[in-house]
Amino acid sequence: MASYLDKDWVVVATKGHIKDLPAKSYGIDFQNSFEPEYEWLKGKKTIFSAIKTQAKLASIIYIASDPDREGEIIAKHCYDELAKLKKPMFRLRLKEISKTEVERQIQFKLGLDLAEIESQIARRIVDRIFGFEVSPDLWKQLKISSLSAGRVQSTVLHWICEREKEIQNFSKEVYFQLKLQGTLSDESVVLDHQTKDKLNFDSVQKILNDLEILPEPSQLKDITLTQIKKKNIKRNPPPAFSTASLLEMSFRVLGFDSKKTMKLAQTLFEGKRIGSGERIGLITYMRTDSTRVSDEKRKLGEDYLKKEYPGLVFSGTPTLKKQKKYSQDAHEAVVPIRPSYDPDSIRSYLSSDEVKLYTLIWERFLVSLMNPELGEETIYEFHKNNHVFIYKNEFITDSGFKAFGKRDQKKNSKKFEWKIGERFFYESHSIEEKQTEPPVRYTQGKLVQKMEDTGVGRPSTYGSIIETLRTRKYIVEYHKSIGPTSLGMIVDDYLFLNFQEMIGESFTKDLENKLDQITEDKSSRINLIQNFYDSLVGLLRTPRKKYTSTERIYPKNKEETLPGSYAKPNPNRSAKIKASKTRISIPKEHTNAKPCPVCKQGVVKSKLGKKGKTIYFCSRYPHCDYITYES
């Protein structure tokens, strides 16, 4: 930012937060309306002392931390320390790092956003209360020290554990699909049998009998086309990125986890020195739940497209897309500041990973401004003896945004002019065996997308939630799939049984909304915290619920150790237990699990192994040695 200002300005950095609640003590004054008791972070008092020395020489002070809640609390802590200097102080909220934006914000002479500050304080205190009250309860009840419980993390952990149970309880179903091969107007055509039900083999044989295909030789000669249904195709381009959709796409396309994506996005936001010119930001602020694009950015994008890709830019009036239910829409979408800086032109100034992420953001923004894909879908229906066969044909008239860049252009399929009454001439048939697929485990991208869709978590916390669960060893990740560790299952079972009111999806998203809606009236913050605290204390005073048959199983020796389990710890040693090494057995009455095929007494359980395979084993292990990698 210093490059945008003249020599009279001095720019210094706090390098993030300067204060926070203490790490090892509660840090909340319960006798004084839940006031937070902040303390200096390690090394920050020295850094800020140097900043204060510079501030004493200044005539006016601007605080330019990030334009969100976390940035606002940093600004508040800086303001409190510098207020003693009695200098004019203003707040800069830079949604992009550019000379125009810096100059514009300086002219506003804004103060602190008290509503944002109250909301951040409330959020931090609620999370601290939950962690400091529930974590010791976990230690006591599960007999495993060093466990931690987070308010939002517990909700996300429950999603992961529930999905694992769905996979465990899944029973595949085999069914069959009947197809007829033949010709219509000299075109080779394959018709699909249409039914709402999944057909077993006997059902297919009955249909073949009804159609007189069986017994052989076939008596079926032809089937008449009896109905034609047409509908227009209009596929709009995807909107510009929100934080959640950026994290999801970055993970899916580039393989970058949330932490890496946000780190790269931060460097692109802070900017690069392009050539011998000034340092400029390359993208707008990357923590947002909005897909809205400002009029200014839209015009820049459209002008670039008209010059470089004439014919692709959308010529109609843009329709403002409805924001998702829980979107705050505080910032516009993540878009390039200057579309004219195409990835190839600035490639030499970026790392290879920065180029990849910038390209993803740049292309998505331009695509969002393009024409939709247009075409027509036709469904041809053939009726014979109360059975229906269909043929679907899609004809694309305008590829629209899909014609952009190096995208695989969808070839226009052939348009047929078939008419009712024409005949399909039967030649042969095939029976395809299929089976239902189990639910798939979440990926980082899908978890982030679900957080955004349900209003659980916020753009600034999506990545840290997953990272915290991994650090606590409650989840394991292999080749993009996320599954719970055995310890994660234990913790989730206990938390959801006893604190569902506090970590259930509905409660969590409602609380997030209340935290967002806190005004600068301090009483609203106090009331929210008081109600949360009273509810939590009430739960902690109730008798603990436990699965009556739940037991932890410890192998007798290393030879009997199941992948992901471990020997019973020595109670005299410091209890730092690895999460992936503790296992829980849930009683049969709480699941739909299959009985063990070996001992007939236990039930078949599953877990995600360290090498990504699903391990199936008996709940009575090591007393029963059933274990397989097959379902």
Side-chain angles (χ1 to χ4, degrees):
M1 193 170 75
S3 62
Y4 303 139
L5 304 167
D6 61 38
K7 59 184 175 136
D8 294 331
W9 289 78
V10 176
V11 179
V12 288
T14 65
K15 298 180 181 179
H17 284 273
I18 62 172
K19 294 182 179 182
D20 197 5
L21 297 178
K24 296 183 180 180
S25 60
Y26 223 126
I28 297 173
D29 188 348
F30 286 84
Q31 305 304 315
N32 183 24
S33 302
F34 301 101
E35 279 299 299
E37 299 173 336
Y38 295 108
E39 63 177 28
W40 287 97
L41 292 171
K42 185 178 180 180
K44 290 304 178 76
K45 193 169 186 179
T46 302
I47 291 175
F48 204 81
S49 178
I51 292 175
K52 191 179 290 186
T53 300
Q54 295 280 4
K56 288 177 181 178
L57 304 175
S59 59
I60 188 169
I61 299 169
Y62 287 88
I63 304 172
S65 49
D66 285 346
D68 58 13
R69 285 194 196 93
E70 297 304 309
E72 210 64 37
I73 199 67
I74 293 173
K76 172 70 164 58
H77 291 154
C78 292
Y79 185 94
D80 290 345
E81 290 297 319
L82 297 174
K84 303 162 190 175
L85 302 180
K86 297 183 178 179
K87 302 284 181 75
M89 272 192 287
F90 301 103
R91 174 84 165 97
L92 299 183
R93 296 181 183 84
L94 302 173
K95 297 180 181 179
E96 61 183 61
I97 307 298
S98 65
K99 187 171 184 178
T100 302
E101 179 70 1
V102 170
E103 291 175 347
R104 189 168 68 92
Q105 287 288 329
I106 289 173
Q107 296 302 316
F108 287 159
K109 297 191 183 305
L110 300 172
L112 296 174
D113 187 328
L114 299 183
E116 283 275 65
I117 291 169
E118 290 298 314
S119 176
Q120 198 280 341
I121 291 174
R123 187 179 301 272
R124 188 74 180 91
I125 291 176
V126 162
D127 289 345
R128 174 55 62 100
I129 289 173
F130 186 90
F132 267 61
E133 294 294 337
V134 176
S135 295
D137 188 69
L138 273 177
W139 309 340
K140 178 181 177 182
Q141 300 297 330
L142 299 183
K143 312 299 183 189
I144 304 175
S145 63
S146 301
L147 294 181
S148 297
R151 179 178 61 87
V152 181
Q153 294 96 317
S154 297
T155 305
V156 176
L157 175 62
H158 186 66
W159 293 342
I160 297 169
C161 292
E162 284 299 290
R163 178 61 56 86
E164 195 68 23
K165 291 173 183 176
E166 289 173 9
I167 294 171
Q168 176 182 321
N169 296 332
F170 174 78
S171 295
K172 67 181 178 183
E173 179 183 357
V174 175
Y175 64 99
F176 297 88
Q177 173 70 46
L178 174 62
K179 295 177 180 289
L180 302 183
Q181 290 85 31
T183 60
L184 195 159
S185 297
D186 297 324
E187 295 283 347
S188 294
V189 176
V190 177
L191 304 185
D192 292 315
H193 180 258
Q194 189 77 349
T195 177
K196 295 180 180 178
D197 303 317
K198 289 184 172 62
L199 301 176
N200 58 31
F201 190 76
D202 290 339
S203 298
V204 173
Q205 295 300 304
K206 182 180 184 306
I207 295 171
L208 292 174
N209 279 301
D210 291 346
L211 295 173
E212 299 182 320
I213 293 175
L214 294 179
E216 294 181 338
S218 172
Q219 299 302 306
L220 177 66
K221 302 300 180 184
D222 56 57
I223 305 178
T224 303
L225 174 58
T226 54
Q227 191 170 7
I228 299 175
K229 298 177 181 177
K230 293 187 177 184
K231 67 176 181 180
N232 291 328
I233 294 171
K234 182 180 180 182
R235 298 187 180 108
N236 290 316
F241 283 127
S242 64
T243 300
S245 56
L246 174 61
L247 293 177
E248 196 276 334
M249 185 65 73
S250 175
F251 187 76
R252 180 157 56 89
V253 175
L254 305 177
F256 296 166
D257 62 24
S258 300
K259 184 178 181 180
K260 180 175 182 177
T261 298
M262 293 307 288
K263 184 177 180 181
L264 291 170
Q266 183 75 41
T267 64
L268 295 175
F269 170 70
E270 292 173 356
K272 299 283 183 177
R273 190 177 297 279
I274 306 298
S276 58
E278 62 189 17
R279 186 183 185 91
I280 62 166
L282 295 175
I283 63 171
T284 54
Y285 193 55
M286 62 284 171
R287 294 185 180 92
T288 175
D289 49 14
S290 174
T291 58
R292 174 178 54 81
V293 175
S294 68
D295 292 340
E296 177 189 359
K297 291 292 186 295
R298 178 177 293 278
K299 186 175 188 312
L300 286 173
E302 290 174 346
D303 289 346
Y304 176 81
L305 284 174
K306 288 174 182 176
K307 179 182 177 183
E308 301 293 334
Y309 299 92
L312 287 185
V313 63
F314 182 60
S315 56
T317 303
T319 302
L320 294 177
K321 292 182 173 61
K322 185 178 179 181
Q323 295 299 316
K324 292 189 177 180
K325 183 177 180 180
Y326 302 103
S327 171
Q328 300 306 301
D329 200 29
H331 308 297
E332 67 175 311
V334 185
V335 300
I337 292 175
R338 300 184 186 182
S340 58
Y341 281 159
D342 65 86
D344 287 336
S345 69
I346 61 173
R347 183 179 299 274
S348 59
Y349 307 108
L350 306 178
S351 70
S352 60
D353 286 344
E354 287 169 348
V355 170
K356 290 175 184 176
L357 189 65
Y358 179 74
T359 301
L360 205 65
I361 295 168
W362 181 83
E363 287 188 349
R364 178 66 167 252
F365 167 64
L366 293 179
V367 163
S368 73
L369 305 177
M370 294 181 184
N371 285 318
E373 180 185 36
L374 301 175
E376 181 181 75
E377 181 186 73
T378 306
I379 300 176
Y380 299 94
E381 290 191 2
F382 301 78
H383 293 248
K384 181 76 171 181
N385 295 347
N386 295 322
H387 296 291
V388 180
F389 291 84
I390 66 169
Y391 180 82
K392 287 185 180 180
N393 185 64
E394 190 175 277
F395 182 72
I396 301 300
T397 57
D398 184 353
S399 296
F401 69 94
K402 290 191 176 180
F404 174 65
K406 298 178 181 178
R407 293 169 175 267
D408 293 332
Q409 295 188 29
K410 190 169 185 177
K411 295 181 180 179
N412 291 356
S413 56
K414 188 173 181 179
K415 188 173 183 179
F416 299 115
E417 299 295 343
W418 299 337
K419 297 177 181 178
I420 292 176
E422 294 194 53
R423 292 182 296 168
F424 164 84
F425 292 96
Y426 168 78
E427 293 176 352
S428 63
H429 71 274
S430 61
I431 303 171
E432 294 182 4
E433 180 177 321
K434 298 186 176 184
Q435 63 182 37
T436 53
E437 297 294 329
V440 296
R441 293 184 176 92
Y442 290 106
T443 62
Q444 281 198 27
K446 292 302 181 184
L447 272 178
V448 169
Q449 204 68 60
K450 183 165 184 176
M451 283 187 255
E452 182 185 63
D453 292 343
T454 58
V456 170
R458 287 295 178 260
S460 59
T461 63
Y462 293 150
S464 62
I465 288 170
I466 298 172
E467 186 64 27
T468 298
L469 290 173
R470 185 193 288 115
T471 300
R472 290 174 179 168
K473 301 190 185 301
Y474 292 167
I475 62 174
V476 63
E477 185 173 9
Y478 187 84
H479 284 188
K480 299 187 178 183
S481 293
I482 294 176
T485 62
S486 298
L487 182 58
M489 293 289 281
I490 292 174
V491 170
D492 175 65
D493 284 335
Y494 179 76
L495 287 178
F496 209 75
L497 203 58
N498 291 282
F499 299 97
Q500 181 175 355
E501 294 91 335
M502 291 289 174
I503 65 172
E505 183 180 308
S506 177
F507 178 87
T508 302
K509 66 188 179 188
D510 287 345
L511 181 60
E512 291 282 2
N513 288 334
K514 290 176 182 176
L515 288 167
D516 288 334
Q517 293 163 9
I518 287 178
T519 66
E520 57 192 65
D521 177 7
K522 186 176 178 181
S523 63
S524 63
R525 184 241 295 180
I526 296 170
N527 290 337
L528 184 147
I529 296 171
Q530 184 70 63
N531 291 336
F532 179 85
Y533 180 69
D534 290 344
S535 298
L536 182 58
V537 169
L539 283 176
L540 288 166
R541 287 173 179 167
T542 59
R544 292 291 164 271
K545 301 173 186 174
K546 292 183 180 180
Y547 289 129
T548 55
S549 303
T550 298
E551 59 177 1
R552 251 173 260 141
I553 301 171
Y554 301 101
K556 296 176 182 178
N557 54 54
K558 290 184 179 179
E559 284 69 35
E560 293 177 331
T561 299
L562 183 71
S565 62
Y566 76 117
K568 187 172 182 178
N570 183 344
N572 296 320
R573 295 181 60 186
S574 175
K576 281 193 175 180
I577 296 174
K578 293 185 178 179
S580 61
K581 297 185 176 181
T582 307
R583 192 157 55 80
I584 191 170
S585 175
I586 302 174
K588 189 174 180 180
E589 58 267 25
H590 292 286
T591 73
N592 294 318
K594 299 176 182 177
C596 172
V598 175
C599 70
K600 312 297 184 185
Q601 298 178 36
V603 295
V604 177
K605 297 181 64 60
S606 69
K607 64 171 290 179
L608 185 64
K610 291 181 179 178
K611 294 186 178 180
K613 292 183 178 179
T614 301
I615 302 171
Y616 297 87
F617 57 94
C618 179
S619 61
R620 294 182 62 245
Y621 183 91
H623 305 293
C624 173
D625 61 1
Y626 172 73
I627 179 171
T628 181
Y629 291 96
E630 303 298 330
S631 58

